[in-house]
Amino acid sequence: MKIVITGGAGFIGSHVVRLFVTKYPDYQIYNLDALTYAGNLANLTDIENAPNYTFVKGDITDAGFLTEFFAEVKPDGVIHLAAESHVDRSITDPMSFVMTNVVGTVNLLNAAKDAWKGTGGAGPPVRSAFDGKRFYHVSTDEVYGSLHNADEFFLEDTSYDPQSPYSASKAASDHFVRAYGNTYKLPVVLTNCSNNYGPNHFPEKLIPLMIHNIQQNKPLPVYGKGENVRDWLFVVDHARAIDAVFHNGNLGETYNIGGFNEWKNIDLVHLLCDIMDRKLGRETGTSAKLITYVTDRAGHDLRYAIDANKIMHELGWQPSLQFEEGLEKTVDWFLQNQEWLDNVTSGAYQGYYQEMYTNR
Ligand code: NAD
Ligand code: TYD
């Protein structure tokens, strides 16, 4: 089996690539990534020489490139993670989200459809033309919008109500994937996952940003009153869920992924401060003094919460870690991988990132 994993040099993608390369030595894994600011091959040094792993630098907004790539590799499966993924960036630069998340996804759908079905076929599309093939689209719970009542959860049939340019672009891409499943009978499967955290998380997102700033004794910017709620899942558990759905999920279906693990931002930041104080040998309460309330994010979604019963009951997937344990592991990883963190936060890595970072 040949599988193309897009966005495999990013945070979640690198964990998915690692899992597939090590767990399935008989598969050929192609990591297709444009290496934007968020893509980092240093995430994959441990498996870069594996015989079943190939990295291909390529941009999913380039339809011609994708056509040639699919014709050459002839993949059996696609696991699509490449995306612009940061809400704050989507507020300042929505068009790059339209290009990668919407246009890029449609380009990828077209490349798979044409490569798998052949272009010369006559008559209506039939599912059997795609036997043995699978197009897996990785999406987010943010497409469902913002919850306001404590007893509400996102279910697979919750109406889409995206509120940020990021979530609107992911919602559009989800609609295209389902439309290709319906119209062309492309064998698609989708997942919508809650917020991930763990090793290799790019330090523009809440948890790694806080770890980095605590370490550097810099202010910890909490948006608004810190009362927004996110539902956190360890990234390796997301990768395990992707493995389960890719192999055993029913075609045409959507599965929500989450660990029933909701945290108010301010409570999470306090927990991180306590863990860091302990790890760094600081007096309890030292890091919490760095907490600084800053202007709220525009259109900030109040609460996300996933109901993950479907994947748990139908596919037997369960998160493997409790949050406190996952957070400890994550902090340990960042403390032990100082070079990785220094590299991605240095001006040499990305001027743009450096500018955003120093303005905080
Ligand atoms: P990330 O920003 O860390 O990585 C994205 C990767 O995609 C990078 O390696 C980047 O180089 C690559 N990429 C970007 N534009 C590209 C293009 N035009 N062509 C080819 N490659 C390109 O993102 P992530 O946090 O790992 O998220 C991966 C996927 O999972 C995304 O689709 C995201 O919407 C989804 N998701 C993320 C979370 C989360 O908490 N991070 C939760 C649920 C779903
Ligand atoms: P983030 O990690 O950007 O993920 P998302 O917006 O996709 O959920 O943010 C998580 C939460 O943390 C969100 O409510 C915004 C908040 N936040 C801060 O309070 N300060 C920050 O510096 C960042 C990056 C996020």
Side-chain angles (χ1 to χ4, degrees):
M1 168 128 45
K2 293 182 193 170
I3 303 173
V4 172
I5 299 178
T6 71
F11 167 46
I12 302 170
S14 61
H15 289 275
V16 177
V17 166
R18 176 175 299 101
L19 181 67
F20 275 68
V21 164
T22 52
K23 186 171 173 187
Y24 302 107
D26 293 344
Y27 292 2
Q28 283 299 322
I29 304 300
Y30 295 85
N31 172 9
L32 170 61
D33 198 297
L35 298 183
T36 68
Y37 79 95
N40 186 353
L41 290 176
N43 294 347
L44 290 164
T45 43
D46 55 327
I47 56 107
E48 67 188 0
N49 295 320
N52 63 337
Y53 171 71
T54 308
F55 172 71
V56 181
K57 187 165 190 276
D59 192 327
I60 60 168
T61 65
D62 183 345
F65 158 75
L66 285 179
T67 303
E68 280 176 29
F69 175 67
F70 272 67
E72 188 190 319
V73 169
K74 299 185 179 58
D76 302 294
V78 174
I79 304 178
H80 175 35
L81 296 110
E84 288 293 338
S85 68
H86 190 40
V87 173
D88 292 330
R89 285 179 191 252
S90 82
I91 294 169
T92 50
D93 178 20
M95 195 49 86
S96 60
F97 286 67
V98 174
M99 292 312 296
T100 289
N101 299 1
V102 187
V103 176
T105 298
V106 178
N107 283 339
L108 204 61
L109 287 163
N110 282 334
K113 173 172 79 68
D114 293 345
W116 291 344
K117 193 171 178 302
T119 44
V126 286
R127 179 80 78 196
S128 61
F130 297 113
D131 273 356
K133 306 288 193 274
R134 185 162 280 228
F135 188 105
Y136 181 165
H137 180 61
V138 175
S139 192
T140 166
D141 61 355
E142 303 191 25
V143 298
Y144 298 122
S146 181
L147 295 170
H148 290 272
N149 299 321
D151 60 347
E152 282 181 314
F153 288 86
F154 297 136
L155 285 155
E156 283 78 1
D157 60 2
T158 299
S159 299
Y160 274 31
D161 189 20
Q163 300 292 318
S164 73
Y166 164 64
S167 53
S169 70
K170 291 298 290 187
S173 68
D174 293 11
H175 289 319
F176 270 104
V177 172
R178 293 198 181 94
Y180 272 57
N182 178 60
T183 308
Y184 306 109
K185 309 301 172 208
L186 199 73
V188 300
V189 65
L190 297 87
T191 50
N192 294 82
C193 188
S194 62
N195 285 61
N196 284 214
Y197 71 97
N200 307 102
H201 206 178
F202 196 80
E204 65 185 353
K205 307 275 172 70
L206 180 72
I207 290 179
L209 178 79
M210 295 296 163
I211 293 173
H212 180 262
N213 284 16
I214 292 170
Q215 216 186 355
Q216 304 279 319
N217 272 311
K218 288 187 171 165
L220 309 179
V222 172
Y223 296 167
K225 294 181 178 155
E227 283 176 353
N228 305 69
V229 173
R230 295 294 183 265
D231 181 358
W232 295 96
L233 182 71
F234 192 59
V235 63
V236 174
D237 282 329
H238 187 189
R240 289 173 52 249
I242 288 174
D243 178 20
V245 172
F246 182 76
H247 289 98
N248 301 315
N250 289 320
L251 289 180
E253 293 280 321
T254 295
Y255 299 85
N256 282 352
I257 306 172
F260 293 102
N261 179 43
E262 292 179 51
W263 282 80
K264 234 182 225 183
N265 290 340
I266 189 64
D267 296 340
L268 171 48
V269 173
H270 273 289
L271 176 59
L272 264 178
C273 287
D274 290 347
I275 295 175
M276 290 290 286
D277 281 346
R278 183 159 40 80
K279 303 262 178 204
L280 298 174
R282 293 179 183 168
E283 202 180 313
T284 308
T286 310
S287 300
K289 292 193 187 121
L290 298 167
I291 292 174
T292 309
Y293 292 95
V294 298
T295 311
D296 208 354
R297 173 186 280 172
H300 197 170
D301 287 341
L302 182 63
R303 172 174 165 252
Y304 304 144
I306 280 277
D307 182 329
N309 274 303
K310 179 175 173 181
I311 187 170
M312 288 177 173
H313 293 131
E314 289 187 16
L315 303 183
W317 171 88
Q318 296 272 355
S320 66
L321 284 185
Q322 293 297 315
F323 188 53
E324 284 78 357
E325 193 187 347
L327 214 49
E328 291 257 349
K329 269 183 189 273
T330 303
V331 168
D332 286 343
W333 186 87
F334 277 98
L335 294 179
Q336 286 158 15
N337 288 272
Q338 196 61 53
E339 204 181 319
W340 184 95
L341 194 57
D342 290 346
N343 182 28
V344 298
T345 50
S346 77
Y349 184 83
Q350 261 295 336
Y352 175 76
Y353 177 73
Q354 176 73 359
E355 191 185 309
M356 252 185 69
Y357 181 78
T358 47
N359 287 340
R360 289 266 173 90

